[in-house]
Amino acid sequence: MALINCPECNREISDKAKACPHCGYPINLNTGYSIYIIGYRDTDTAVSAGLKEVLDIDLDYENVIKILNSLPYKICECNTQEEAEILAKKLDRWWIDIEVTNSNNEPININKNITLCPKCGSTNIQIVPRKWSLLTGIFTNKTDRVCVNCKHKF
């Protein structure tokens, strides 16, 4: 949940509010979040591969160069902040620097500390205790993270 300014009274309110609690102004329920590429820390071919994998955008090399020469470049929009945070985390794994803005074009802070499955990128992760063995003993406090979608342990 993020705080935004009411367009009518300019006081801070929740982005989840349907109306301003101070003045009653109805808040746009279709608040979108735009994702801009603002830089990259690897090669342009890595940017192309990252966009293809994360956003399913198949660009040829010339279009990738055009995008990278016209930074900041709006690459996509998300309906929720959670969606934007997940995409930010996935793009960060490809060394692509992004900025997320709300519908008023104000930059918002995003949480990149989301745990993603390294195999499929899912956020549906479960923590399970490790089983004991002769080597580790009966009492162990170690845990594994397991992706619920693809069953990958990490």
Side-chain angles (χ1 to χ4, degrees), residues 89 93 112-120 122-131 141-154:
K89 175 75 173 185
R93 289 168 64 195
K112 290 186 182 177
N113 295 326
I114 301 171
T115 304
L116 298 175
C117 173
K119 187 174 180 184
C120 70
S122 171
T123 58
N124 199 358
I125 308 295
Q126 185 176 16
I127 305 294
V128 295
R130 284 191 184 164
K131 306 244 189 268
N141 60 355
K142 306 252 183 206
T143 58
D144 284 326
R145 292 179 284 186
V146 178
C147 176
V148 175
N149 293 346
C150 70
K151 308 298 184 224
H152 178 71
K153 280 186 179 180
F154 58 100

Side-chain angles (χ1 to χ4, degrees), residues 40-44 46-47 94-95:
Y40 58 101
R41 298 169 301 216
D42 204 348
T43 62
D44 47 8
V47 171
W94 283 94
W95 301 94

